[in-house]
Amino acid sequence: MDRWACVNVFALPLQLMLGRHAEWKELPAAVVDQDRPQGAILWINRYARERRLREGMRYAEALSLVPQLRVDVVGADEIALAVTTIADCLQRFSPGVEPFEDEAGIFWLNASGLLGLYGSLEAWAASIKQALDSSLGLYASVVVGFSRFGSFAVARAYRKTGVFEEPEHELQAARGVHLALLATSDFAIEPFERLGVRTMGDFLALPAAGIRRRFGAHALRLHRLAAGSLVAPLKPYQSEQPTEQARALDDAEQSTTRLLFLIKQLVHPLCLALDARGEQVVELCLRFVLDHAPSIEESVRPAEATLDEAVLIELVRLRLETMVFAAGVIELNVIARGLRASVEQLGIFVEAARRDLGAANRAFARIRAEFGDHAVVHLRLREGHLPEARFEWVPLQKLVAARAQPTPLRPLMRRLFPIPLAMATHSLAHFDHHAGPHIISGGWWVREVQRDYHFVEKPDGSLLWIYHDRRRDQWFIHAEVR
Amino acid sequence: MFYVPLFCKSNYSFLEGASHPEELVEHAHALGLGAITLTDRDGVYGVVRAYMRANELGMRLLVGSEISLDDQGTIILIAIDRLGYANLCRLITLGRRRSAKGQCTLALSEVCAHAGGLIALCGGRSGLLTAEVAPVALIESMREAFGDRLYALLTRHLEVEDAGREARLLVRARAHNLALVASTEVLYHDASRRSLQDVLTCIRHGVRIQGAGRLLQANAEHALLEPAAFVRRFADHPGAVERTLEIGARCSFTLDDLRYSYPLEDIPAGLSAMGWLRELTCEGARGRYGGEPPGDVMAQLEREFAIIDELNYAGYFLTMKEIVEFCRAEKILCQGRGSAANSAICYCLGITAVDPVRMGLLFERFLSRERAEPPDIDLDIAHTRREEVIQHVYKKYGRDHAAMIANVIRYRPKSAVRDVGKVLGLPETSVDRLAKLLSHQSCLDESVWAGAELDGQTPMHRHLESLTNQILDFPRHLSIHPGGFLLGFEPVHDFVPIENATMKDRTVIQWDKYDVEALGLFKLDLLGLGALTHLDLCFRLLEGHRAIELSMATIPPDDRATFDMLCRAESVGVFQIESRAQMAMLPRLKPRTYYDIVIEISLVRPGPITGDMVHPYLRRRAGEEEVSYPHPSLEPVLARTLGIPLFQEQVMRLAMVAADYTPGEADQLRRDMAAWQKHGRIERHHERMVTRMVAKGIDPEFAERVFNQIKGFADYGFPESHAASFALISYATAYLRCHYPVEFTCSLLNAQPMGFYSPATIVADAKRNRVEIRAIDVVHSGWDCTLEPAASPTAARPLAMRMGFRYIKGLGEHAWQRIEAARTLAAFASLADLVERSGLELDALERLAQAGALQSLQPDRRQALWEVRGHVSDRQNRPTLGLVEHDVVVAFAALSTFEIIAWDHRTSYHSTTGHPLMPLRGALQAVGLQNAAYIQGLPDASRTHYAGMIICRQRPATASGVTFITLEDEAGFVNLVIWPSVFEAHRVIVKTAAFVGVTGKIQAKDGVVHLIAESLWIPQLAQRPTLGKSRDFH
């Protein structure tokens, strides 16, 4: 590899944030590590810098200085995704792309052998810069040189895109780069700054043995890289093949049977791809692009991770049977979400349970596939005073073995109505016997509730649990007592 | 009386009760109840306040507590008599002392062992009798211990669970033959406090209101009930209602039953405490006056003896004398202050150092027969040695007889808005904005919302505003008073429970100083004072290096040179008169006597400033205004202050003379002026005072001005006796600064942190005062700063000062000890020798190198850094087979003077090389920026530009939004005044810049120069100076 290029996407988290909030572009803005007063400012734009804000300040301190400051958090996942997207984009220009692990936004590219394609390296570099700008909206510089270190140093120091014609030119430019711009997690520059070693040239003037003795292996490695006595080969990034299959249909299709067969053809390669990665399917996401109608998205989940195509297709069939297409499908898109297969040998030693949870879960998966995720729910208790606030229904993800707890037998039990029934009566006078009130009130911070509950006996001897809603001045039946 | 509420928790059940104790009492009174019980959780924190209010309203207060039991819920105990109260306090002390701060753990058996004189109520939400499982044996043991004083507590809060609990209670009450008594658990006086109670619950559990669920009460049925409603609620158990009255009648205990006596000191046989006090005082008087005291002094002493004897306070004075003697024996510098300085006995006993007879101080401010309350003597102690005195008190009296007084931490606007905002789940940044806009005294209102650019009308914001303002002044938790002690002849835990403080070896009572004062108990205040440490260190240096034995008592009075120095406003490091405002006052006041310093100290205070007394006083002093008195009768009161009232005592006297206040009313006025009772009480004096003064022929304008000053005192009253005590220390430090600047600076730096200025400013000031200051050196320096002989006999000062290792940032004392140990064995031969023998870590060695402390071994700091890294590496990786790798010699760029100063400041808070602006002066002059000396010489009204380092920012509440900044350069200080409009236009620079340029106009009057800022800017220089953080006071 005789030619290296370094791409520097400046302040990537800040660019991502401003991409999200286009309206902030001309306002003081900053990326913070957490959206709290004590959050630290990580990146700032020039409008914030002009107002004397600096990286490292606390959010509250910065806000007290610049009340118009806009901030947001850019998460590690978002940055990692952006790095992957940029790397994928760069792979269109060179097969060898290496993202810098230490700082998101720096990439090395193998720039060898591209003259034939682009005519010149300047054109190649310019097209990279143009592609990042137009397709991702990111501003970057591209430096083409002769070494990993030289191109990196120059790309970090200067916000310009260019090509070095001679190795000496690159070395000369790199020597003038301020050492502070090259700080990494492995290489602290403060000890060198204290020694008056400010540029790469000053750094290279120090004896290698003296550096190793005083500053250790990392500093020595940098010294050798800078001096050219150590060459670190490019570690090319390999993009993950998406576990996604798509099919454009010549004629709009509305038959669920034919759609099922088409989906089956798409699921097969997906299972093969996941199998090759040692994964199994946990979810199939289906996207139906309709002819002159909004697209429909559905997903099905097997009871457990599987590569059994028959099981997956059966779930898809059940889901398709419930669907009605407003127009014909003109494109099908299937994404398989995988999970690394677990070791199941341990299961051999487990005594088979009398109740087959697996079968139950498979059945639930079929019900979910046919009726939707909210068709299978279970009850979860909550700590609330209002009867309806003491529990909630939540979708059941997976059935687990029940552990029954002995509960003392209650002589009476209240069976709540899902929605309390309004009563025609305006007093307790209609009931022969009643007990109460028991008052439940609260919720003043959202919508105040005040209910006076009573147990009442109807003439036929049946018992009701009723309440008077003081705020609405109305009576409701909340439960039957059995 | 229809019923007696037996189970009431105030906000002294921290973060549970939602009403002040006074509110509960007042509301009960309004409902027509004749008595109320306060039963705070594991304590009697609020009983004094409740008792005082109940007394005022003619109600009875029953004292009790809800006691937490190990895994057995709670039980309510109420004191029947003094024995019962003592048992309650002992029991709580037992539970508290064995637990971590804030916790209390007691077994039921321990409760039973302290049953004497107590009524027990068992039941309610978490009582033993309502538990699901019936602990028969435990109920029986309680029955046995309490007999007919054990009641089954029937509570009803209209909750669905009430019925089940009640059924179990009734069955067990019948089974164990227990009488039934009715009550509700009162958590607030009125149902409108329910939302606040919910919020307090959330704060206690650290949850948001939206997720608090069943941690909150089910309804708002925890208010005090009207008698009719209470009777209705328990209509099916009328006997249980009547029994509340029976319990009320059984409990005769009141806090008046606390018969407090002071611990007796060791008194020689045959003498009473009073006799011994008289003997010690007369002996002291002979020492003070060099023989028999003058007649007026004797007369004053006799007057004081008579009152002390009558009120039986002799023991207290003897204790103070003993503590002062202990300090003397241990060579701990101490001095009494406060109203004690009004007492001739205190002066003769050596407790205070001001002669009240000569000063004409008002004895009634200290002690009066009419007031009959314990005297208040505050003892200032050298702050680094105060803990020795505290432990001495514990040791001498024992932990049962001595405990420190609590300090109740209350909700202030900032903490209130933060805690409530958190509970409501509001964005932290919004809450933070509001908190930053709230001052100590303010409340959340429209202006604050507008300032924070938030809409105060959203429902959640309205909740925040209402709840924040309600929670203000609520107790948050208990802390410890800085130095207040309660001593008792009887064990203190028979008066009030004692609990553990967070600080090791400290125990604290459950009452704060206001409670102690309200009950007339004696307290000692042992306070730490940095200035005394400063003086102590300075006296020791004088003795050690010059064989001069100086003390507070032997410092020559009325030293002309000292007053000359003060008139020039050279007062950096001088106690109480070193601040920017004090410095600006000195050339105007021109102090020439000790009493002038007393006035100087008192004048720059919120009281005289808001009372508009400063300028009239200065004009009269300068002869620009005639000294007149609003009424001839006031001349004796105001003569010493030229007709202008400046002191608290004068206000008292003035009220007595001009407004015909009785001494009792004057004392009430003083109490109402105290900061802690600011709930509008001072206003009730307005009409009375002004009307009476006008009726006596005093100008209404003057009357109003006096009243405004009294209100100012409410913020921070300063009595003459305080000022007189402080002025002694001020004069002593000023004298030392004037005559022994080297020792003065050395001791001041060793007493840090204290005072107004940073070490860098102290060092720069000392250098301007021709003190030779030598840099930290690993070969010469100690941990503290030290004195060394001057380089030549012709030097300006005979001694020079060497900075100590304590000033190297991040270098611990243990590192210094290693250096000292190695250095004691043999002098360091080289850097390699230092690294090898000291065993210091690389970080410490690099700090030394950067600070220039290795200069004796390697003059070049960069070379030293390079070398120590190499030596440390060799020490860690010993060469194998003796193979040594030789270094190539490397040459580093030499540090410029500018860099050396910057490194000094970064590593050691100061520079002995020079001020950061010194090397930049050429560049500054090139753009027309002169130094502070030049600015000080400019005529009034001239326009100028100046650039300096900000060392202090101030925005006092009394200055109507004006900001004062002290700028410093190598030649001195420049005082900058920034009007609010200029501040707003340049707020970012004012708040953030360390080095700032100013364009403005000079205001020069009476030798005091201010630069009135018109605009501020950042000077554009090639290099930016480095300085430590400014000291900002708001």
Side-chain angles (χ1 to χ4, degrees):
Chain A
M1 188 167 145
D2 58 350
R3 292 294 258 173
W4 287 74
C6 185
V7 176
N8 183 8
V9 183
F10 307 113
L12 176 61
L14 184 66
Q15 291 205 53
L16 293 175
M17 183 190 76
L18 293 174
R20 262 200 320 249
H21 303 285
E23 70 279 11
W24 293 0
K25 283 206 166 138
E26 296 192 355
L27 290 171
V31 177
V32 289
D33 63 350
Q34 46 180 335
D35 190 3
R36 302 177 61 182
Q38 291 309 306
I41 290 192
L42 303 176
W43 301 88
I44 52 174
N45 68 357
R46 72 184 172 93
Y47 299 101
R49 196 174 296 282
E50 280 168 8
R51 287 163 172 77
R52 299 180 61 79
L53 300 191
R54 296 291 179 264
E55 289 90 352
M57 275 181 169
R58 296 285 154 201
Y59 177 26
E61 182 189 0
L63 201 61
S64 73
L65 295 173
V66 183
Q68 309 82 13
L69 181 69
R70 302 292 191 271
V71 302
D72 204 348
V73 176
V74 180
D77 289 348
E78 190 181 350
I79 294 171
L81 182 65
V83 168
T84 308
T85 310
I86 296 168
D88 288 344
C89 175
L90 294 176
Q91 275 191 327
R92 287 168 20 210
F93 299 91
S94 169
V97 176
E98 179 187 337
F100 187 20
E101 287 177 0
D102 229 54
E103 186 183 326
I106 301 275
F107 301 85
W108 282 282
L109 275 70
N110 183 349
S112 306
L114 296 165
L115 278 175
L117 279 173
Y118 290 88
S120 72
L121 285 173
E122 283 84 355
W124 178 72
S127 56
I128 291 175
K129 186 175 160 64
Q130 168 67 23
L132 288 173
D133 188 9
S134 59
S135 59
L136 300 178
L138 295 170
Y139 181 63
S141 69
V142 185
V143 172
V144 185
F146 294 87
S147 69
R148 170 190 281 270
F149 183 82
S151 60
F152 166 69
V154 177
R156 283 291 293 263
Y158 308 104
R159 296 192 166 198
K160 287 179 181 169
T161 295
V163 178
F164 285 109
E165 296 299 337
E166 300 293 337
E168 292 73 29
H169 296 169
E170 181 190 64
L171 184 61
Q172 195 180 353
R175 279 175 172 273
V177 172
H178 202 289
L179 207 57
L181 293 168
L182 304 174
T184 65
S185 59
D186 291 335
F187 179 65
I189 53 101
E190 289 80 10
F192 293 98
E193 282 193 329
R194 287 197 285 266
L195 293 170
V197 175
R198 294 201 169 88
T199 64
M200 277 311 299
D202 297 339
F203 181 59
L204 286 170
L206 294 175
I211 286 181
R212 185 190 54 74
R213 184 179 164 208
R214 290 171 176 82
F215 300 100
H218 285 298
L220 179 65
R221 185 171 185 277
L222 184 75
H223 193 269
R224 291 181 62 199
L225 276 170
S229 60
L230 178 70
V231 177
L234 192 88
K235 290 186 280 184
Y237 152 84
Q238 292 192 336
S239 69
E240 292 260 304
Q241 288 302 314
T243 48
E244 180 180 0
Q245 290 287 319
R247 172 77 55 88
L249 308 181
D250 294 335
D251 299 313
E253 184 60 79
Q254 272 188 297
S255 159
T256 52
T257 311
R258 278 195 289 276
L259 284 171
L260 182 66
F261 276 97
L262 287 169
I263 291 169
K264 190 177 178 184
Q265 288 169 22
L266 300 179
V267 167
H268 180 66
L270 290 174
C271 286
L272 290 178
L274 287 181
D275 193 22
R277 281 160 40 179
E279 295 180 359
Q280 294 185 333
V281 178
V282 289
E283 186 176 22
L284 278 181
C285 301
L286 310 168
R287 184 161 179 268
F288 303 91
V289 181
L290 304 186
D291 190 12
H292 296 102
S295 301
I296 298 173
E297 290 183 5
E298 288 288 343
S299 67
V300 291
R301 284 179 289 115
E304 56 196 359
T306 183
L307 287 174
D308 188 335
E309 290 175 36
V311 170
L312 295 170
I313 294 302
E314 176 62 4
L315 295 176
V316 173
R317 185 186 67 77
L318 290 167
R319 178 59 55 89
L320 280 177
E321 281 178 2
T322 65
M323 293 175 67
V324 178
F325 295 102
V329 177
I330 55 170
E331 189 180 327
L332 263 177
N333 196 307
V334 183
I335 298 172
R337 236 171 20 90
L339 190 71
R340 197 154 289 279
S342 58
V343 180
E344 292 173 350
Q345 280 83 343
L346 289 174
I348 295 168
F349 302 101
V350 178
E351 192 183 341
R354 202 159 53 82
R355 291 185 175 183
D356 188 347
L357 282 179
N361 275 313
R362 281 193 293 278
F364 284 143
R366 288 168 65 92
I367 294 169
R368 268 197 299 268
E370 190 162 356
F371 299 106
D373 284 350
H374 287 277
V376 184
V377 292
H378 72 129
L379 191 93
R380 188 161 66 193
L381 295 179
R382 293 173 63 202
E383 285 291 316
H385 284 297
L386 290 174
E388 62 268 33
R390 290 192 177 194
F391 62 86
E392 63 181 339
W393 295 106
V394 290
L396 178 68
Q397 300 297 333
K398 190 169 186 180
L399 191 66
V400 293
R403 285 175 307 211
Q405 289 177 343
T407 312
L409 201 62
R410 301 279 178 192
L412 292 173
M413 180 180 298
R414 280 165 286 176
R415 289 196 178 276
L416 301 183
F417 293 109
I419 298 169
L421 307 175
M423 292 169 65
T425 183
H426 295 293
S427 75
L428 292 167
H430 299 282
F431 302 102
D432 294 337
H433 299 103
H434 68 89
H438 312 300
I439 300 175
I440 298 177
S441 65
W444 48 265
W445 55 94
V446 274
R447 189 173 55 84
E448 187 143 16
V449 171
Q450 191 158 8
R451 296 179 187 168
D452 297 355
Y453 277 92
H454 300 262
F455 288 99
V456 296
E457 185 178 341
K458 286 173 33 181
D460 62 1
S462 61
L463 298 175
L464 294 176
W465 196 40
I466 66 171
Y467 69 83
H468 176 234
D469 186 327
R470 281 205 220 175
R471 298 183 69 80
R472 285 191 278 179
D473 191 20
Q474 195 170 352
W475 289 84
F476 293 88
I477 304 173
H478 206 150
E480 284 180 323
V481 183
R482 293 186 179 171
Chain B
M1 192 193 284
F2 301 92
Y3 79 102
V4 176
L6 296 173
F7 186 13
C8 305
K9 289 195 250 186
S10 73
N11 54 16
Y12 280 87
S13 292
F14 297 97
L15 302 178
E16 186 179 5
S19 292
H20 292 284
E22 296 94 329
E23 287 177 322
L24 288 170
V25 171
E26 285 162 10
H27 199 69
H29 183 254
L31 294 176
L33 302 175
I36 186 171
T37 317
L38 197 64
T39 53
D40 280 319
R41 201 176 59 236
D42 300 318
V44 295
Y45 305 96
V47 294
V48 178
R49 281 155 200 269
Y51 174 71
M52 291 298 161
R53 190 69 189 122
N55 259 3
E56 285 172 12
L57 297 171
M59 276 185 75
R60 285 190 51 227
L61 178 78
L62 277 60
V63 178
S65 177
E66 182 189 30
I67 302 293
S68 306
L69 301 170
D70 300 340
D71 304 326
Q72 252 114 41
T74 62
I75 188 168
I76 317 298
L77 300 179
I78 303 171
I80 295 174
D81 49 25
R82 177 69 180 89
L83 170 68
Y85 179 73
N87 270 332
L88 181 66
C89 293
R90 282 181 209 150
L91 190 62
I92 296 171
T93 302
L94 184 67
R96 291 278 186 182
R97 287 295 311 278
R98 67 159 71 115
S99 316
K101 181 178 156 61
Q103 307 288 316
C104 183
T105 45
L106 283 166
L108 191 64
S109 58
E110 289 165 335
V111 173
C112 293
H114 291 80
L118 285 169
I119 280 174
L121 310 182
C122 190
R125 195 191 308 269
S126 51
L128 214 54
L129 291 176
T130 52
E132 296 263 358
V133 181
V136 177
L138 290 179
I139 297 171
E140 272 310 308
S141 66
M142 279 202 297
R143 186 81 173 86
E144 207 169 293
F146 285 93
D148 69 345
R149 290 175 285 115
L150 176 64
Y151 291 83
L153 178 65
L154 174 63
T155 60
R156 287 180 178 173
H157 301 102
L158 304 187
E159 292 173 21
V160 73
E161 291 84 3
D162 280 353
R165 277 198 294 261
E166 193 171 317
R168 292 192 289 275
L169 181 88
L170 294 174
V171 167
R172 287 164 195 167
R174 266 196 303 276
H176 296 279
N177 195 24
L178 299 177
L180 208 59
V181 64
S183 183
T184 55
E185 182 183 0
V186 176
L187 297 176
Y188 33 80
H189 68 287
D190 185 83
S192 61
R193 287 283 171 87
R194 187 265 169 96
S195 50
L196 182 62
Q197 205 275 324
D198 285 349
V199 167
L200 291 167
T201 304
C202 291
I203 296 172
R204 190 163 94 247
H205 292 282
V207 296
R208 288 185 176 182
I209 193 91
Q210 294 85 351
R214 289 167 69 81
L215 291 173
L216 307 179
Q217 301 295 341
N219 55 38
E221 298 297 322
H222 291 269
L224 268 175
L225 288 180
E226 286 180 16
F230 189 83
V231 170
R232 255 198 322 275
R233 185 165 296 181
F234 295 98
D236 52 336
H237 288 283
V241 175
E242 280 170 23
R243 217 154 278 125
T244 65
L245 302 175
E246 175 192 310
I247 289 175
R250 283 182 89 166
C251 296
S252 59
F253 172 74
T254 79
L255 291 184
D256 273 342
D257 296 343
L258 298 180
R259 292 277 170 265
Y260 175 79
S261 39
Y262 200 76
L264 289 176
E265 293 297 326
D266 299 330
I267 296 167
L271 275 179
S272 65
M274 195 60 221
W276 182 226
L277 176 66
R278 181 179 281 274
E279 201 160 296
L280 288 173
T281 306
C282 292
E283 189 186 320
R286 282 191 289 275
R288 285 284 192 197
Y289 297 99
E292 284 309 310
D296 53 350
V297 173
M298 268 323 290
Q300 174 69 23
L301 287 175
E302 286 304 329
R303 219 172 111 225
E304 293 185 20
F305 282 139
I307 295 177
I308 290 168
D309 193 18
E310 189 180 324
L311 300 175
N312 197 21
Y313 291 162
Y316 179 67
F317 288 82
L318 292 174
T319 298
M320 291 309 297
K321 167 78 175 164
E322 194 280 332
I323 292 171
V324 169
E325 287 301 324
F326 168 80
C327 292
R328 297 237 160 85
E330 296 298 317
K331 298 194 184 312
I332 300 170
L333 209 56
C334 67
Q335 181 184 294
R337 68 151 139 147
S339 58
N342 295 300
S343 160
I345 290 180
C346 286
Y347 177 64
C348 294
L349 289 174
I351 296 168
T352 57
V354 179
D355 183 344
V357 181
R358 296 285 161 269
M359 286 279 293
L361 295 174
L362 181 71
F363 178 67
E364 285 70 21
R365 169 69 182 82
F366 177 56
L367 208 57
S368 82
R369 187 175 284 110
E370 191 180 19
R371 195 162 73 231
E373 70 175 22
D376 176 21
I377 303 179
D378 299 337
L379 193 65
D380 285 326
I381 299 164
H383 73 320
T384 50
R385 304 193 64 189
R386 187 176 67 120
E387 190 61 26
E388 292 173 46
V389 186
I390 287 174
Q391 292 307 325
H392 164 73
V393 173
Y394 274 130
K395 195 173 160 195
K396 180 169 168 58
Y397 298 98
R399 285 185 186 267
D400 288 345
H401 295 267
M404 294 197 77
I405 291 167
N407 185 27
V408 179
I409 304 298
R410 294 171 183 282
Y411 272 108
R412 300 297 173 215
K414 283 180 196 292
S415 55
V417 80
R418 284 189 197 284
D419 273 10
V420 176
K422 199 171 175 182
V423 166
L424 296 180
L426 292 165
E428 284 186 49
T429 42
S430 304
V431 174
D432 189 62
R433 277 188 188 195
L434 294 169
K436 284 197 163 70
L437 288 167
L438 287 164
S439 69
H440 193 68
Q441 305 285 350
S442 61
C443 64
L444 185 53
D445 58 18
E446 273 178 35
S447 63
V448 181
W449 288 111
E453 295 179 9
L454 293 169
D455 178 7
Q457 293 307 310
T458 67
M460 214 43 145
H461 285 175
R462 283 210 301 270
H463 284 312
L464 178 68
E465 182 175 319
S466 156
L467 291 162
T468 297
N469 294 336
Q470 280 182 58
I471 207 175
L472 287 180
D473 218 29
F474 263 49
R476 174 80 173 72
H477 60 270
L478 210 62
S479 173
I480 192 163
H481 187 271
F485 260 104
L486 178 68
L487 303 181
F489 178 72
E490 291 175 61
V492 171
H493 57 59
D494 282 1
F495 286 87
V496 55
I498 302 173
E499 57 184 67
N500 293 325
T502 313
M503 194 172 166
K504 191 173 170 280
D505 292 335
R506 293 278 182 97
T507 46
V508 60
I509 61 170
Q510 291 191 337
W511 291 337
D512 67 10
K513 67 172 186 166
Y514 306 115
D515 298 328
V516 170
E517 280 171 11
L519 289 179
L521 307 182
F522 285 68
K523 73 175 173 62
L524 301 177
D525 268 341
L526 307 177
L527 305 166
L529 192 66
L532 287 177
T533 306
H534 177 200
L535 282 171
D536 186 34
L537 295 174
C538 196
F539 292 150
R540 286 167 195 263
L541 286 174
L542 283 170
E543 194 177 348
H545 289 269
R546 299 201 201 208
I548 295 173
E549 284 192 32
L550 212 55
S551 71
M552 291 283 286
T554 57
I555 282 180
D558 303 324
D559 180 69
R560 185 186 176 85
T562 300
F563 286 111
D564 286 346
M565 179 192 77
L566 291 179
C567 289
R568 294 192 303 270
E570 291 173 12
S571 63
V572 170
V574 177
F575 180 61
Q576 284 284 316
I577 52 174
E578 62 172 336
S579 72
R580 172 202 55 78
Q582 292 280 6
M583 271 192 185
M585 183 62 72
L586 283 168
R588 293 178 191 168
L589 192 79
K590 297 185 182 65
R592 301 306 317 176
T593 64
Y594 159 72
Y595 193 71
D596 287 345
I597 300 178
V598 177
I599 289 179
E600 167 80 25
I601 289 173
S602 314
L603 211 53
V604 187
R605 300 280 164 187
I609 291 171
T610 53
D612 207 12
M613 303 296 180
V614 178
H615 292 291
Y617 176 81
L618 290 175
R619 281 198 298 273
R620 290 181 182 198
R621 191 178 166 89
E624 296 166 4
E625 184 178 301
E626 188 191 344
V627 176
S628 62
Y629 301 94
H631 193 269
S633 63
L634 295 178
E635 187 169 348
V637 181
L638 302 175
R640 277 202 304 184
T641 52
L642 310 179
I644 307 291
L646 298 178
F647 301 112
Q648 212 181 57
E649 288 90 336
Q650 283 180 305
V651 174
M652 283 175 69
R653 273 186 173 155
L654 197 143
M656 287 161 68
V657 175
D660 290 334
Y661 268 47
T662 64
E665 284 177 325
D667 184 55
Q668 190 56 50
L669 175 66
R670 180 186 68 82
R671 285 167 175 278
D672 291 345
M673 286 194 301
W676 71 286
Q677 284 183 332
K678 288 198 285 266
H679 309 294
R681 294 192 176 189
I682 200 81
E683 287 299 331
R684 65 186 179 185
H685 292 275
H686 180 251
E687 195 183 335
R688 195 192 318 176
M689 271 197 89
V690 172
T691 312
R692 288 190 195 175
M693 285 167 85
V694 172
K696 287 196 86 173
I698 294 171
D699 183 28
E701 190 195 341
F702 179 84
E704 285 293 342
R705 210 160 71 223
V706 170
F707 186 75
N708 282 337
Q709 195 195 27
I710 291 171
K711 283 207 291 190
F713 275 126
D715 282 328
Y716 193 80
F718 214 67
E720 189 176 15
S721 50
H722 253 58
S725 297
F726 276 176
L728 282 177
I729 303 175
S730 303
Y731 177 75
T733 48
Y735 179 85
L736 293 171
R737 187 186 194 281
C738 181
H739 294 281
Y740 305 104
V742 188
E743 293 85 346
F744 172 86
T745 306
C746 186
S747 49
L748 180 58
L749 287 169
N750 286 340
Q752 293 294 310
M754 61 163 283
F756 199 79
Y757 295 101
S758 68
T761 301
I762 295 168
V763 166
D765 182 71
K767 288 178 76 176
R768 286 193 289 272
N769 206 11
R770 295 180 298 146
V771 174
E772 183 189 348
I773 298 189
R774 295 174 181 167
I776 305 166
D777 192 312
V778 74
V779 173
H780 302 293
S781 288
W783 173 251
D784 284 329
C785 303
T786 49
L787 299 183
E788 295 175 356
S792 75
T794 56
R797 311 281 182 199
L799 292 166
M801 197 195 86
R802 171 77 66 182
M803 295 299 295
F805 282 98
R806 58 161 37 222
Y807 277 101
I808 295 187
K809 279 185 197 173
L811 191 82
E813 202 166 352
H814 61 283
W816 143 246
Q817 283 161 357
R818 282 190 188 181
I819 295 170
E820 175 66 0
R823 199 171 64 175
T824 309
L825 287 175
F828 296 125
S830 63
L831 273 185
D833 185 33
L834 166 74
V835 173
E836 185 64 31
R837 289 200 292 122
S838 70
L840 288 178
E841 302 298 325
L842 176 63
D843 178 67
L845 288 161
E846 286 199 321
R847 286 175 192 278
L848 292 172
Q850 285 180 76
L854 303 181
Q855 59 190 322
S856 292
L857 304 173
Q858 171 53 267
D860 186 306
R861 296 189 194 190
R862 283 182 169 149
Q863 197 65 44
L865 276 169
W866 179 256
E867 286 180 24
V868 292
R869 267 194 176 256
H871 296 315
V872 170
S873 169
D874 292 346
R875 192 178 67 192
Q876 289 166 346
N877 312 297
R878 301 274 178 204
T880 49
L881 304 172
L883 295 173
V884 178
E885 199 175 350
H886 286 288
D887 244 354
V888 179
V889 176
V890 183
F892 297 102
L895 289 172
S896 65
T897 307
F898 176 82
E899 286 174 314
I900 288 173
I901 294 170
W903 282 41
D904 284 345
H905 277 281
R906 266 205 302 272
T907 55
S908 55
Y909 309 98
H910 74 284
S911 176
T912 55
T913 308
H915 191 276
L917 293 188
M918 182 192 74
L920 299 178
R921 183 50 58 196
L924 289 166
Q925 277 179 335
V927 292
L929 295 169
Q930 303 295 336
N931 66 17
Y934 175 84
I935 298 293
Q936 295 293 340
L938 286 173
D940 186 42
S942 51
R943 203 158 176 279
T944 189
H945 308 287
Y946 172 73
M949 312 288 305
I950 294 180
I951 61 167
C952 170
R953 296 176 176 88
Q954 278 185 304
R955 213 173 185 193
T958 50
S960 312
V962 179
T963 303
F964 299 95
I965 286 183
T966 307
L967 298 170
E968 187 194 53
D969 65 23
E970 74 281 11
F973 305 124
V974 169
N975 285 323
L976 191 63
V977 178
I978 305 176
W979 294 106
S981 58
V982 179
F983 179 90
E984 278 312 312
H986 302 91
R987 65 199 295 268
V988 175
I989 290 181
V990 176
K991 288 172 89 168
T992 61
F995 175 50
V996 70
V998 190
T999 299
K1001 202 174 264 186
I1002 294 292
Q1003 187 185 70
K1005 195 181 176 196
D1006 302 329
V1008 182
V1009 176
H1010 283 101
L1011 178 56
I1012 314 298
E1014 292 168 358
S1015 65
L1016 292 102
W1017 32 271
I1018 303 295
Q1020 298 302 313
L1021 297 175
Q1023 292 170 305
R1024 309 220 41 87
T1026 307
L1027 193 72
K1029 229 173 141 48
S1030 65
R1031 292 194 168 187
D1032 298 339
F1033 308 91
H1034 299 287

